[in-house]
Amino acid sequence: MATQHSRSAARLMISPAVLLLLGWMIVPLAMTLYFSFQRYNLLMPGQGGFVGFENYRYFLSDPAFFSALTNTLLLVGGVLFITVVGGVFLAMLMDQPFWGQGIVRVLVIAPFFVMPTVSALVWKNMFMNPVSGLFAFLAKGLGLEPFDFLAQAPLMSIILIVSWQWLPFATLILLTAFQSLDSEQLEAAEMDGASPVSRFLFIMLPHLSRAITVVILIQTIFLLSIFAEILVTTNGGPGTASTNLTYLVYAQSLLQFDVGGGSAGGVIAIILANIVAIFLMRMIGKNLET
Amino acid sequence: MGSIQLKKVEKRFGDVVVIPPLDLEIEDGDFVVFVGPSGCGKSTLLRLIAGLEDVSGGTIEINGKDATSVPPAKRGLAMVFQSYALYPHMSVRKNIAFPLRMAGMSQAEQDAKVNAAAKVLNLGDYIDRRPGQLSGGQRQRVAIGRAIVREPDAFLFDEPLSNLDAALRVNMRLEISELHSTLATTMIYVTHDQVEAMTMADKIVVLQAGHIEQVGSPLELYRSPRNLFVSGFIGSPKMNHITGAEAAKHGATTIGIRPEHIDLSTTEGMWKGVVGVSEHLGSDTFLRVDVGDLGTITVRASGEFAVHRGDTVYLTPQAMHLHRFGPDGLAIR
Ligand SMILES: Nc1ncnc2c1ncn2[C@@H]1O[C@H](COP(=O)(O)OP(=O)(O)OP(=O)(O)O)[C@@H](O)[C@H]1O
Ligand SMILES: [Mg+2]
């Protein structure tokens, strides 16, 4: 799009899509903002009215809010760490020639196609269940006390489940990055006296940095709004041990029927997501330039 | 220090024999060029010497010591790749310093060596840029810089100039030759460009299908090719090969005569032919002459030679430059 003319033509062409998306976004956002300043409780019809920042004050001073905030960050951070480190490792293994490579590559993506509710339920009932789960069976086989994952380490368990879902995505993106690495560069490094570890650190990792950035950015967007996995496994509990912001908003508006408070929580969640996004862009977004 | 001996070196990929057992001796300080048609195993042979491929048989000796199973970094060789293989995320300075850093050299020493190399290769202006911001010729220089800071016993080049334009290639050719005379280090240079081979080499190794066809100085190969393949491969345009009755007159199965060793006349001569395509280069004129039974013969006339398509010309080969080959393709001397 080099010329003035082609630029304005391009703007004209994409404007319907932009307008549609904008409308799509603006309407719910405006309604949420509006509700967040109203008293709007489903149990008390007819008691509405403007309440100023009352809903915000209520939501922010709720002790559950800070635990939800930390849980959200732990969840996002934990899953990112596991998927990026595990993804680099798996992608490196899958980049080696081995028998049955094609089938393995297809199989690896499979977890990504399992619906979040389904996979969380499978993990909850078939693996982590302290009585009938596979892990309990293995623990008993080793003579150990079965561990009740969802009761004793609820957030950790959810991090594990979500990591399992996102690991294939990270692996595949990183695998394509590995495949685009020029083998002559590795050979040159080998001749330059770089050990396998140095080759990984100085040649492979910098080459992967852009792909890792993409993985982190995309996953963060989705991980900030994890909901189904929490709903079907722990219901945010015990207490608020596995409640994240999304789940707290849900609990506020639909379990306590306080739509106004929930809307205020939603607005706060949007603001926090943007803060995280700005931090991410600052920290790693520059990787996407050059 | 930089002599290399290959003894019965062999390379197979699965069942495919790419290099049948081969012996080669490279002396310290030599500039050796491997030439041959595409796919003949030049790169493979170079990579065997570098240690990037394992030999399937035989031994490689470097400085008289068996290096067959020595890892690439410990062989004391530096390689310049066809794609340059610069590290894209490092500045030119860091690229050149990389082998020194891997060797655990102190920062001060690294800087001193990098600066010295930058001076030799005129990298000053772009030493802090990334490879992506450099032209092909500049990248080539950086790749050479990264090789020379290691002070290797021998340099290996795999078609280093094939990505450059014609003018730059001539330049870099001279620079590499100059570098060789300054450093006096052994260099092994792979190319399929015979001009590069003829101008740069002390010793040319002509390869075909993994076999060494002939080893010798450029002029030796030009003057007395050992067989039909070498005679056709070295020299441009190609040597004319003539078979049949005309060859039998000279007691050979095939005779060869280079385009520049045929006298051309419009009035009289040994062979009569009709001019086909003619290429006028100004300094030379190349004519493709259709000579009945003998087939099409390429002739060089120096300067401008005014003939046109369809004109009749007479060709006379210079007897002293006639090459004779036996039924097995080997030269008869
Ligand atoms: N990894 C490999 N596996 C199987 N065959 C290979 C492999 N590498 C090279 N070959 C084969 O070995 C032969 C020699 O290859 P090589 O790259 O040495 O040719 P070359 O002389 O360098 O050709 P070019 O001038 O085109 O670079 C080719 O026929 C090629 O197909
Ligand atoms: Mg090659």
Side-chain angles (χ1 to χ4, degrees), chain B residues 146-167:
Chain B
R146 192 174 63 185
I148 60 178
V149 284
R150 290 182 52 200
E151 296 170 5
D153 290 339
F155 289 95
L156 311 177
F157 294 92
D158 191 356
E159 308 203 22
L161 306 186
S162 57
N163 293 342
L164 303 181
D165 70 47

Side-chain angles (χ1 to χ4, degrees), chain B residues 254-295:
Chain B
T254 310
I255 53 171
I257 183 77
R258 295 194 186 278
E260 54 272 37
H261 295 150
I262 298 176
D263 293 325
L264 195 59
S265 152
T266 47
T267 49
E268 55 179 356
M270 218 161 117
W271 300 328
K272 178 181 174 189
V274 180
V275 176
V277 179
S278 48
E279 298 173 332
H280 299 274
L281 300 181
S283 61
D284 294 301
T285 307
F286 294 112
L287 304 176
R288 308 265 298 151
V289 181
D290 185 11
V291 190
D293 292 344
L294 305 184

Side-chain angles (χ1 to χ4, degrees), chain B residues 155-326:
Chain B
F155 289 95
L156 311 177
F157 294 92
D158 191 356
E159 308 203 22
L161 306 186
S162 57
N163 293 342
L164 303 181
D165 70 47
L168 200 53
R169 215 184 279 193
V170 174
N171 250 334
M172 288 303 296
R173 211 162 75 200
L174 291 175
E175 277 186 35
I176 293 178
S177 294
E178 227 154 73
L179 197 67
H180 179 241
S181 48
T182 335
L183 300 177
T185 311
T186 313
M187 290 189 178
I188 306 178
Y189 188 103
V190 166
T191 179
H192 55 243
D193 182 318
Q194 55 149 312
V195 179
E196 277 173 29
M198 296 297 282
T199 52
M200 301 171 87
D202 294 327
K203 193 153 116 181
I204 296 183
V205 178
V206 183
L207 291 164
Q208 190 201 193
H211 285 284
I212 294 184
E213 295 288 342
Q214 189 171 0
V215 180
S217 72
L219 287 181
E220 250 170 67
L221 298 193
Y222 177 81
R223 285 200 201 110
S224 40
R226 203 173 69 86
N227 58 24
L228 269 175
F229 177 79
V230 178
S231 73
F233 195 79
I234 300 288
S236 170
K238 272 177 67 161
M239 179 188 279
N240 297 295
H241 288 141
I242 299 164
T243 51
E246 189 64 33
K249 270 198 236 165
H250 295 273
T253 319
T254 310
I255 53 171
I257 183 77
R258 295 194 186 278
E260 54 272 37
H261 295 150
I262 298 176
D263 293 325
L264 195 59
S265 152
T266 47
T267 49
E268 55 179 356
M270 218 161 117
W271 300 328
K272 178 181 174 189
V274 180
V275 176
V277 179
S278 48
E279 298 173 332
H280 299 274
L281 300 181
S283 61
D284 294 301
T285 307
F286 294 112
L287 304 176
R288 308 265 298 151
V289 181
D290 185 11
V291 190
D293 292 344
L294 305 184
T296 308
I297 290 182
T298 311
V299 189
R300 191 194 82 168
S302 66
E304 292 164 38
F305 191 79
V307 284
H308 299 284
R309 199 187 184 88
D311 288 356
T312 302
V313 289
Y314 295 88
L315 312 178
T316 313
Q318 298 165 3
M320 59 180 292
H321 291 302
L322 200 70
H323 300 269
R324 300 183 303 143
F325 300 97

Side-chain angles (χ1 to χ4, degrees), chain A residues 120-228:
Chain A
L121 282 175
V122 168
W123 274 93
K124 177 187 179 184
N125 295 323
M126 299 181 74
F127 289 103
M128 292 176 168
N129 189 299
V131 179
S132 56
L134 188 66
F135 293 148
F137 174 78
L138 289 178
K140 275 184 240 163
L142 293 172
L144 302 171
E145 192 70 13
F147 186 72
D148 189 354
F149 286 89
L150 290 168
Q152 281 166 287
L155 190 63
M156 191 61 221
S157 306
I158 290 172
I159 290 177
L160 271 182
I161 295 172
V162 177
S163 299
W164 179 81
Q165 285 167 8
W166 282 93
L167 193 56
F169 172 78
T171 306
L172 281 189
I173 300 258
L174 294 170
L175 177 62
T176 57
F178 265 110
Q179 285 169 336
S180 70
L181 177 58
D182 181 9
S183 65
E184 284 198 345
Q185 265 178 41
L186 288 177
E187 287 174 347
E190 193 179 344
M191 292 208 68
D192 282 345
S195 65
V197 174
S198 316
R199 259 176 277 160
F200 176 76
L201 288 179
F202 295 114
I203 311 296
M204 290 183 185
L205 219 47
H207 178 79
L208 292 182
S209 66
R210 191 180 290 214
I212 292 178
T213 310
V214 169
V215 167
I216 291 180
L217 283 178
I218 293 180
Q219 287 198 16
T220 306
I221 294 169
F222 285 92
L223 295 178
L224 278 172
S225 57
I226 289 287
F227 176 71

Side-chain angles (χ1 to χ4, degrees), chain B residues 129-150:
Chain B
R129 283 197 226 160
R130 297 251 178 121
Q133 300 160 319
L134 302 181
S135 73
Q138 292 169 334
R139 282 181 214 186
Q140 183 61 67
R141 286 212 182 93
V142 177
I144 294 175
R146 192 174 63 185
I148 60 178
V149 284
R150 290 182 52 200

